[in-house]
């Protein structure tokens, strides 16, 4: 067999594995609980809001109750389920789809609902950066749910924004968790984003970015290329390592984003203790996050022509809540942004982004319903 034919055969075998994996997720055992449920789940059905990130994926199930938007915050949560990473850029398509399907099945199982009772699904997941990403994930959802279910796929930043604005897409959201991104909307539907390109392309304001810089600083100090830093002893102790040389092996043994990002608390502790290297790393992250927000605000004109108009800034993610003593990253970011945009209104959501995704599902489906009713009224007038 020629080398070319061997490569073709290997490619065919790989595709068989992928197809088999996708079929397993599509027709697997996770939906068997539906066999034990009754025929109907109520008159209005349910909504699913999914927030999929690099660290975890959360699904919220809420009832589809028609009422005014002002009452949306009182919509009860019927069930909540949690699973692992669903970012396809991080774990691949098969694992991402399996996680998404499993977490939705778990939520529906907990509240005793079938897929046939679902009215809309809003899946907000990190890694959705292009229309092709949306279409691919939409195709997964179409394989899972009946044709009557409304399906919406968005970047996870949109759900985070919704969690602070009760489902309204206006203003800017800043996320800094394992990764980081700034995303904004104008009231007439224009949108813009900044950062969110992943660790390779530089989400330096994120937890991964902060921790990666800290690890680099430790290696540089050990080599003699950089100043000594408390980060060395702190990180070695946290990881249970005996020397800086071991950090290299530890890092590449499993270079998952979340594993490295978990070192951020050690950086904050060292900065609070007066370590200059750690302090500079955090100051740089503040500047990175503030510049991401500025880029979005400027592109959308959220601050108005005079630069003083008010707009909401929803702040989400573990980095923005990380503080020890006088070091509060979120507070420093707000102070930095407020100097440029005095009209900024910082919002720290009281609900998680998955709830924001469910609120978006409700808003989207109610908007479609109202447009349909208006079309019917206009048709009747013409008749």
């Amino acid at each position: 067999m020629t080398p070319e034919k061997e490569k073709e055969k290997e490619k065919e075998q790989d595709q068989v594995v992928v197809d088999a994996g996708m079929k397993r997720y599509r027709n697997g055992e996770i939906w068997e609980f539906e066999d034990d449920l009754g025929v109907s789940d109520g008159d209005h059905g349910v909504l699913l809001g999914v927030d999929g990130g690099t660290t975890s994926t959360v699904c919220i199930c809420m009832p589809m109750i028609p009422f005014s938007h002002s009452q949306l915050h009182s919509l009860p949560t019927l069930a909540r389920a949690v699973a692992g990473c669903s970012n396809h850029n991080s774990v691949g398509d098969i694992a991402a789809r399996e996680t998404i399907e499993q977490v939705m099945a778990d939520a529906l199982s907990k509240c005793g609902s079938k897929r046939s009772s679902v009215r809309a699904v809003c899946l907000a997941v990190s890694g959705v950066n292009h229309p092709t990403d949306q279409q691919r994930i939409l195709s997964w959802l179409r394989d899972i749910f009946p044709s009557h279910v409304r399906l919406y796929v968005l970047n996870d930043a949109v759900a985070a924004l919704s969690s602070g604005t009760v489902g309204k897409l206006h203003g800017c959201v800043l996320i800094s968790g394992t990764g980081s991104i700034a995303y904004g909307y104008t009231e007439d539907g224009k949108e813009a984003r900044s950062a969110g390109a992943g660790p390779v392309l530089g989400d330096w304001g994120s937890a991964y970015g902060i921790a990666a810089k800290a690890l680099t600083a430790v290696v540089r100090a050990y080599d003699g290329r950089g100043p000594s830093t408390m980060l060395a002893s702190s990180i070695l102790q946290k990881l249970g390592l005996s020397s800086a040389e071991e950090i290299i092996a530890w890092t590449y043994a499993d270079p998952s984003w979340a594993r490295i990002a978990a070192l951020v608390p050690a950086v904050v502790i060292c900065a609070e203790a007066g370590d200059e290297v750690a302090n500079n790393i955090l100051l740089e992250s503040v500047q990175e996050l503030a510049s991401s927000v500025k880029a979005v605000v400027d592109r959308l004109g959220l601050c108005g022509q005079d630069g003083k108009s008010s707009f909401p800034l929803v702040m989400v993610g573990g980095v923005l809540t990380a503080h020890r003593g006088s070091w509060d990253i979120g507070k420093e970011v707000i102070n930095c942004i407020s100097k440029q945009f005095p009209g900024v209104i910082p919002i720290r959501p009281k609900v998680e982004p998955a709830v924001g995704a469910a609120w978006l599902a409700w808003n989207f489906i109610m908007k479609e319903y109202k447009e349909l009713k208006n079309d019917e009224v206009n048709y009747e007038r013409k008749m």
Side-chain angles (χ1 to χ4, degrees):
M1 184 181 291
T2 64
E4 290 78 11
K5 288 186 177 180
E6 288 182 353
K7 288 183 179 179
E8 288 181 6
K9 187 175 181 180
E10 289 177 359
K11 188 174 181 180
E12 290 175 358
Q13 290 174 340
D14 289 343
Q15 187 59 48
V16 168
V17 171
V18 171
D19 291 342
M22 296 302 277
K23 185 176 182 181
R24 177 165 62 86
Y25 303 144
R26 196 176 299 130
N27 303 315
E29 300 177 353
I30 62 174
W31 298 105
E32 287 185 349
F33 71 89
E34 292 182 324
D35 296 336
D36 299 325
L37 298 178
V39 176
S40 176
D41 297 281
D43 295 333
H44 301 299
V46 297
L47 305 169
L48 292 180
V50 183
D51 171 46
T54 305
T55 303
S56 63
T57 302
V58 179
C59 180
I60 293 291
C61 184
M62 290 183 169
M64 180 58 215
I65 302 174
F67 49 41
S68 68
H69 181 275
S70 62
Q71 298 172 295
L72 189 56
H73 67 279
S74 63
L75 202 63
T77 295
L78 301 177
R80 180 181 185 273
V82 183
C85 174
S86 57
N87 184 323
H88 64 96
N89 291 327
S90 177
V91 297
D93 281 5
I94 292 178
R97 174 181 170 134
E98 181 182 38
T99 298
I100 291 168
E101 187 167 1
Q102 184 67 63
V103 78
M104 294 188 298
D106 288 347
L108 287 172
S109 176
K110 286 181 178 181
C111 68
S113 295
K114 293 183 176 182
R115 284 172 288 179
S116 58
S117 70
V118 177
R119 296 295 172 261
V121 178
C122 181
L123 175 60
V125 61
S126 62
V128 174
N129 303 313
H130 190 271
T132 56
D133 297 324
Q134 288 180 308
Q135 291 305 314
R136 183 167 66 258
I137 297 174
L138 276 171
S139 70
W140 300 351
L141 296 179
R142 291 191 188 103
D143 285 343
I144 296 170
F145 291 97
S147 58
H148 74 270
V149 180
R150 297 289 190 271
L151 304 172
Y152 312 98
V153 175
L154 306 164
N155 186 279
D156 63 332
V158 183
L161 174 61
S162 171
S163 70
T165 59
V166 197
K168 292 183 178 180
L169 294 182
H170 172 248
C172 183
V173 61
L174 175 63
I175 300 177
S176 184
T178 303
S180 64
I181 188 172
Y183 212 109
Y185 277 87
T186 61
E187 292 183 333
D188 59 357
K190 295 178 182 177
E191 58 186 286
R193 59 175 287 171
S194 179
V200 175
L201 299 179
D203 284 351
W204 297 122
S206 68
Y208 179 94
I210 292 170
K213 283 190 174 183
L215 290 171
T216 301
V218 172
V219 173
R220 287 177 60 84
Y222 177 78
D223 288 346
R225 292 178 292 132
S228 61
T229 170
M230 290 173 57
L231 289 169
S233 58
S234 179
I235 289 178
L236 289 175
Q237 181 179 3
K238 183 175 180 63
L239 299 181
L241 304 177
S242 57
S243 72
E245 287 181 326
E246 296 179 55
I247 285 181
I248 298 173
W250 177 88
T251 300
Y252 292 109
D254 177 14
S256 67
W257 305 347
R259 177 171 173 261
I260 291 174
L263 296 175
V264 167
V267 184
V268 177
I269 289 172
C270 289
E272 174 60 23
D275 184 78
E276 185 177 356
V277 174
N279 193 69
N280 287 338
I281 289 173
L282 295 186
L283 287 175
E284 288 170 4
S285 75
V286 168
Q287 292 299 321
E288 286 284 348
L289 294 172
S291 66
S292 295
V293 172
K294 183 179 185 302
V296 170
V297 173
D298 285 343
R299 286 165 62 189
L300 295 178
L302 293 175
C303 58
Q305 293 184 347
D306 62 357
K308 298 180 181 179
S309 296
S310 63
F311 64 92
L313 174 63
V314 180
M315 302 183 68
V316 176
V319 170
L320 299 175
T321 58
H323 60 87
R324 183 180 179 89
S326 61
W327 240 117
D328 186 328
I329 297 177
K331 184 178 179 180
E332 292 297 327
V333 171
I334 292 173
N335 290 340
C336 188
I337 294 171
S338 297
K339 293 177 182 177
Q340 296 176 303
F341 307 114
V344 65
I345 304 173
I347 297 174
R348 295 186 183 271
K350 296 180 180 179
V351 299
E352 60 185 330
V355 173
W359 286 347
L360 284 174
W362 186 92
N363 273 339
F364 289 152
I365 200 169
M366 290 303 295
K367 181 180 179 181
E368 291 182 12
Y369 174 76
K370 290 178 181 178
E371 289 175 350
L372 179 61
K373 294 297 289 184
N374 289 336
D375 289 343
E376 290 176 353
V377 170
N378 292 333
Y379 176 78
E380 290 175 357
R381 287 175 177 173
K382 290 180 180 179
M383 296 298 289

